Amino acid sequence: MVDLVVFRRWRDRSGDVIALFPELPADVNGRFCDSYMHIGQHGAADYHGVIQHTVPVGPKQYAALAQELRLVGYNLRPVKHASRRHHDQRRATARQLAAADTKSPNKDKP
């Protein structure tokens, strides 16, 4: 499996790089995508909100974060931006996960 990723840098003084995974849902509705930063690591992100507050980065700027992600098991495919298809895929995946969870035989067991 390939993990589509968009790397961006915050405009604030920190200049930290963030990795956005537009196809990976971070909530049951698929509204938010999964994200990753050196500090804080995994978290939910509003893709479009993050894009508004960040700038694109090149391979040299995101190399350290990409290496960290590979070490934790990601198979990265960097892209410049996510398309509508990527966002649709995230929502579809969230629906599939939610449906699978409701069918789980252990759902109500302590």
Side-chain angles (χ1 to χ4, degrees):
M1 181 175 134
V2 174
D3 300 303
L4 186 92
V5 61
V6 176
F7 289 103
R8 305 281 293 192
R9 181 179 53 79
W10 293 102
R11 289 182 182 166
D12 65 12
R13 291 175 53 147
S14 74
D16 291 336
V17 175
I18 184 170
L20 298 169
F21 297 93
E23 293 183 326
L24 300 179
D27 66 316
V28 296
N29 298 315
R31 182 182 188 298
F32 299 103
C33 69
D34 198 14
S35 69
Y36 191 94
M37 291 179 62
H38 286 298
I39 304 297
Q41 298 182 330
H42 285 103
D46 173 358
Y47 178 87
H48 298 290
V50 172
I51 294 299
Q52 289 179 347
H53 293 93
T54 58
V55 295
V57 293
K60 287 182 181 179
Q61 290 103 345
Y62 68 69
L65 186 58
Q67 179 62 23
E68 184 175 335
L69 289 165
R70 287 185 188 98
L71 288 172
V72 296
Y74 284 92
N75 181 17
L76 302 176
R77 182 169 63 104
V79 295
K80 290 185 180 186
H81 58 83
S83 70
R84 172 173 277 171
R85 184 186 64 77
H86 299 130
H87 297 297
D88 289 345
Q89 178 62 45
R90 179 181 69 244
R91 289 185 283 274
T93 300
R95 284 191 300 273
Q96 290 171 347
L97 293 172
D101 187 47
T102 60
K103 294 176 185 176
S104 173
N106 298 323
K107 184 174 188 293
D108 296 324
K109 292 185 180 179

